[in-house]
Amino acid sequence: MRVIAKSTLTQFWELPPYADAKGPLESWHDEAAKADWTSPQDIKNHYRSANICGNNRVVFNIGGNNYRLVVEVQYQAGIVWVKFIGTHAQYDLIDVESINAH
């Protein structure tokens, strides 16, 4: 899959309170970049705790469930767009189906 954009992940883990997210996010990115997800079930087969949501959104638990990563997956195009990365408290404040990374 083509992951857009790793820079969103990097900007997050470069913030001092979130430095512990670097390893888990790099691992997720590497796995996603090598993946060939053609359906939500492909994601669930590899990430059992992933939540499949509306608007082609998927929520991943990152770093021992310390963080939430929201992506939009376009299966036919082979693209994963990073839409949000944050703590559970930050995640609770967003609408998963409409959030866009800034």
Side-chain angles (χ1 to χ4, degrees):
M1 305 297 288
R2 182 173 166 218
V3 180
I4 303 172
K6 187 174 183 180
S7 62
T8 304
L9 303 178
T10 304
Q11 289 168 5
F12 181 77
W13 77 56
E14 286 178 346
L15 297 171
Y18 312 125
D20 63 324
K22 180 179 181 179
L25 284 171
E26 285 184 318
S27 293
W28 176 89
H29 181 273
D30 290 348
E31 290 174 12
K34 293 174 187 168
D36 182 23
W37 297 328
T38 58
S39 71
Q41 190 60 51
D42 288 345
I43 295 172
K44 290 294 281 184
N45 290 344
H46 190 75
Y47 295 98
R48 289 192 181 105
S49 65
N51 295 324
I52 308 301
C53 304
N55 201 19
N56 294 316
R57 302 298 173 98
V58 181
V59 181
F60 294 93
N61 295 318
I62 301 292
N65 208 16
N66 290 324
Y67 303 103
R68 293 281 175 99
L69 171 65
V70 178
V71 301
E72 178 181 336
V73 183
Q74 293 297 324
Y75 298 97
Q76 285 188 303
I79 298 173
V80 176
W81 278 278
V82 174
K83 297 297 184 176
F84 171 86
I85 177 68
T87 64
H88 280 267
Q90 293 163 337
Y91 171 82
D92 289 342
L93 300 175
I94 68 163
D95 176 355
V96 169
E97 294 183 17
S98 65
I99 188 77
N100 279 302
H102 29 134

